[in-house]
Amino acid sequence: MTAPHVSLTGLPPLDPARSPVTGWTRAHWEATADRLLEGLLPYASPGFAQYRLPGRASYSGPLSDGLEGYARSFLLAAFRIAGSRGRVGPELIERYAAGLAAGTDPYSDERWPPITDRDQPMVEAASLAIALHESRPWLWDHLDDGVRERVTDWLGGFVGATANDSNWRLFQVVTEEFLASVGAPHSRAEIDGGLARLEDWYRGGGWYTDGDGRKFDYYNAWALHLYPILWARIAGPRASPVQVDRYRARLREFLSVYQHFFGSDGAPVHQGRSLTYRFAVTAPLWAGALVDATPLPPGRTRRLASGALKHFAGHGVPDEHGLLSLGWYRPFLPVTQRYSGPASPYWASKAFLGLLLPEDHPVWTAPEEPGPVDTEDTCLALPAPGWLLHSTAADGIVRLVNHGSDRLPPPPAASEDNPHYTRFAYASAAAPDTAGPGTDNDIALIAPDGTASRRGRIHPLGVTGRRASSWHSASLAGQEHRIETTSVVHGPWEVRVHRVEGPHGAAVREGGWAPADDTGPLEEAAGPGWAWTRRTDGLASTVIALHGWDPEAPGVVAHTREANAYGTYSATPHLVLPVHPGGVHLMVTLVMLGADPEGARGAGARVTGEGAVVIRFPDGAVEEVPPAGESV
């Protein structure tokens, strides 16, 4: 088990007729929203302008953190209010109306910090703007003129301010568009400029990078696709139909691939930053249904979204107090950033966008349909982010092979290792270790003193079919050495063909996956050229030397504690070549996340006279990797 599976008490009964996969309906979403909102009440300030939650403060300080609690939960409250056409308890509307009055009162102890250049209130202003727009008939339209004026004055701090050159540009877009919608001062040039910057980051196939560089992660889903759609809802006739159609077309193309990012248990692939937003990953699924920009049948949209929400609910999210912690299942700070405060996880409110769809919309009434991973094995080549996505129906696991996303700005910015970006692979059933030796899904040169190189900046070489390639520079003792890798996937297996440049005498180490468990240390086994670890539920990580390793060198297992978002105990099998021969050395390794670690030992590899590598997978399938310098 990845975490203690908790009883889902306080929720409506399952509906297997309408939702044969998850059992969840709109009533489950409403009940979860209500539980999240109620859980915040003990932490509200007297005037309800701030929610001061327990936990580690962000670098922005307690006033900003309290604003974050208000703004992000207001987004949830707005979807709940609008989705019910105002048929909620009046105290919910009154609470957030009171918070607007107190937060914008310059003499209040609860006043919000002003919007200034590149500061956190910019993020929260966008949530406020969206929430105010979506709940307009029930909240904004009933505010006193003085409160409305103070709110627009506070939001107006965005006009003329400088936002970070990333998804933050869209916070300015939606905030100033809301100001335009209520006749308040705004800058059309800043709105247009932010949307124009978005065009610079579009890489095709439905993929944006979050600013310059190769920054591909879930911000593509819960920000770069979502905010243009919400902006268009605010702008109405002020938005160019051509522009809006372009955003809808891109979202549609993105969702055709994105539907494959969810395991059969509902877990999303664990990659990238701000993972503590958890089920916010479902936001683009709902957005596609909201604006008729999805290729998915309505029953599949609900199955994927409900599956993700139910997955986290089944692992104790929200917790027994109805709160979202800084973590994944349990509190786990390595999935956060310096900007993450106690209320940051409430960006998960975006997941409830689907409540804006009426109760009789097909996305709520159609019978659930299986997700892609439920019915067949899949392999998708994604050239824009440099990824291969492969999944297996037998175990319901989605695996993401990474040859393109490192979250680094363009050179000459320094290279750095980030476990949520620079590993070779990520999955819906496993997370990278964030402490300890960091051997999982990594290859490294090892100096005599034990210092290990790290995979930092990734240089993509191509993605096609079942293959993806890249190279990175491995720094050792002040020298740079090129490691070029081609991954070939088939079923649950990945074979990595490495051409490792290194000095004579250095060691080489490569690790497989790092499965994690809360029940105790993982089972393990190792022998000449192989090693595996296994959780109590049978999920195993296997690594096997196929070529270029010392056939007599035993596999090794590295154990860590409190290093993995999926469980207290994690363990990574890895191989070690004690002595690199010098120059460029060809090495071939099979890694697997799945059952039957012993069966994986039926794989093999041979090198042709021309330097190509012929791979034989455990089931007999054969793939050929061309010689160095040839296209993948």
Side-chain angles (χ1 to χ4, degrees):
M1 301 291 288
T2 58
H5 197 81
V6 301
S7 174
L8 304 181
T9 58
L11 290 172
L14 299 179
D15 184 345
R18 181 172 294 185
S19 300
V21 183
T22 70
W24 278 38
T25 63
R26 182 185 178 99
H28 291 82
W29 283 84
E30 292 175 337
T32 303
D34 292 343
R35 184 182 179 203
L36 288 167
L37 291 167
E38 290 166 7
L40 290 168
L41 277 175
Y43 305 97
S45 57
F48 297 102
Q50 301 214 350
Y51 289 86
R52 297 167 178 165
L53 298 172
R56 184 201 68 184
S58 75
Y59 64 59
S60 298
L63 284 179
S64 178
D65 290 349
L67 162 63
E68 191 169 60
Y70 175 89
R72 298 188 180 198
S73 65
F74 183 26
L75 196 61
L76 175 58
F79 294 155
R80 185 71 176 92
I81 293 165
S84 66
R85 305 299 296 170
R87 295 189 301 273
V88 293
E91 64 276 3
L92 181 62
I93 298 173
E94 293 166 1
R95 191 158 72 234
Y96 282 92
L100 290 169
T104 57
D105 181 350
Y107 303 105
S108 170
D109 292 339
E110 303 173 38
R111 63 187 178 277
W112 298 330
I115 296 171
T116 56
D117 290 351
R118 300 186 178 91
D119 209 0
Q120 189 65 31
M122 286 185 163
V123 185
E124 311 321 318
S127 290
L128 285 171
I130 295 165
L132 287 167
H133 172 75
E134 298 296 348
S135 64
R136 188 184 304 239
W138 305 280
L139 204 158
W140 175 263
D141 290 348
H142 298 279
L143 292 175
D144 292 340
D145 289 345
V147 175
R148 281 201 292 257
E149 183 177 351
R150 293 206 309 268
V151 170
T152 56
D153 285 347
W154 186 83
L155 293 173
F158 237 135
V159 181
T162 300
N164 291 327
D165 199 28
S166 64
N167 66 90
W168 283 43
R169 296 293 295 272
L170 298 179
F171 304 153
Q172 187 167 36
V173 166
V174 297
T175 301
E176 295 201 36
E177 195 63 65
F178 174 76
L179 291 171
S181 75
V182 296
H186 62 282
S187 169
R188 182 56 55 185
E190 289 176 352
I191 295 171
D192 293 343
L195 295 173
R197 194 70 177 108
L198 184 65
E199 297 304 305
D200 297 335
W201 300 328
Y202 188 62
R203 297 292 182 265
W207 289 94
Y208 296 95
T209 175
D210 186 15
D212 295 334
R214 301 195 59 81
K215 303 175 182 178
F216 299 102
D217 54 28
Y218 283 115
Y219 277 81
N220 193 78
W222 59 44
L224 297 167
H225 275 294
L226 182 62
Y227 283 100
I229 295 299
L230 296 177
W231 162 78
R233 285 173 63 84
I234 299 171
R238 294 184 300 278
S240 161
V242 173
Q243 197 171 20
V244 173
D245 285 347
R246 183 164 64 245
Y247 298 144
R248 293 175 64 250
R250 289 175 180 173
L251 176 59
R252 182 182 296 273
E253 185 173 13
F254 173 66
L255 291 175
S256 68
V257 169
Y258 191 62
Q259 63 177 316
H260 295 274
F261 275 69
F262 299 86
S264 62
D265 63 353
V269 172
H270 193 94
Q271 181 272 342
R273 67 190 175 110
S274 299
L275 290 169
T276 194
Y277 303 155
R278 298 176 173 106
F279 36 82
V281 297
T282 66
L285 298 170
W286 295 120
L290 190 65
V291 297
D292 191 23
T294 180
L296 311 185
R300 189 182 305 166
T301 292
R302 190 171 81 256
R303 181 269 179 271
L304 295 173
S306 291
L309 187 63
K310 183 180 181 181
H311 175 80
F312 283 102
H315 288 81
V317 181
D319 67 16
E320 65 274 19
H321 304 295
L323 296 176
L324 298 177
S325 65
L326 284 166
W328 184 246
Y329 299 141
R330 67 193 193 282
F332 189 73
L333 291 179
V335 298
T336 67
Q337 281 66 45
R338 289 175 56 244
Y339 55 72
S340 303
S344 291
Y346 287 83
W347 240 28
S349 298
K350 295 177 179 183
F352 295 83
L353 185 71
L355 294 180
L356 295 179
L357 292 159
E359 295 178 9
D360 59 355
H361 190 281
V363 81
W364 290 118
T365 61
E368 276 186 346
E369 298 185 24
V373 73
D374 298 328
T375 57
E376 61 183 359
D377 293 0
T378 300
C379 179
L380 297 175
L382 307 177
W387 288 343
L388 280 176
L389 193 74
H390 64 121
S391 62
T392 41
D395 54 24
I397 296 173
V398 180
R399 305 159 187 86
L400 180 69
V401 178
N402 176 32
H403 284 276
S405 180
D406 53 27
R407 193 160 177 79
L408 292 173
S415 176
E416 61 181 46
D417 169 47
N418 183 323
H420 288 105
Y421 287 95
T422 55
R423 298 291 198 261
F424 278 111
Y426 300 92
S428 63
D433 274 354
T434 55
T439 60
D440 57 284
N441 283 314
D442 183 62
I443 189 167
L445 295 171
I446 312 293
D449 65 359
T451 302
S453 68
R454 291 296 184 192
R455 188 183 190 217
R457 185 176 300 281
I458 299 171
H459 303 269
L461 295 174
V463 181
T464 184
R466 296 183 174 273
R467 299 199 302 268
S469 294
S470 66
W471 68 271
H472 71 277
S473 184
S475 180
L476 199 68
Q479 300 295 315
E480 299 296 324
H481 305 279
R482 179 182 170 118
I483 298 179
E484 181 178 319
T485 302
T486 296
S487 293
V488 184
V489 301
H490 176 67
W493 305 292
E494 177 193 355
V495 171
R496 298 172 188 158
V497 178
H498 305 286
R499 292 176 172 91
V500 183
E501 181 184 79
H504 176 77
V508 183
R509 180 188 68 205
E510 180 170 15
W513 297 84
D517 205 336
D518 276 332
T519 61
L522 277 69
E523 181 185 1
E524 65 175 90
W530 62 271
W532 57 258
T533 64
R534 183 160 54 197
R535 291 190 327 208
T536 54
D537 65 357
L539 181 67
S541 169
T542 306
V543 60
I544 299 173
L546 299 184
H547 180 85
W549 299 90
D550 182 344
E552 299 304 317
V556 184
V557 173
H559 289 269
T560 53
R561 287 195 64 180
E562 303 295 348
N564 198 288
Y566 271 65
T568 302
Y569 304 89
S570 57
T572 303
H574 61 274
L575 306 173
V576 176
L577 177 67
V579 180
H580 189 290
V584 178
H585 183 57
L586 179 65
M587 311 180 77
V588 184
T589 311
L590 179 140
V591 296
M592 183 191 76
L593 180 70
D596 191 20
E598 297 296 338
R601 291 165 64 185
R606 64 178 177 85
V607 181
T608 69
E610 293 76 26
V613 178
V614 179
I615 300 163
R616 184 186 71 254
F617 285 95
D619 66 352
V622 175
E623 293 277 349
E624 182 172 320
V625 176
E630 294 189 18
S631 170
V632 300

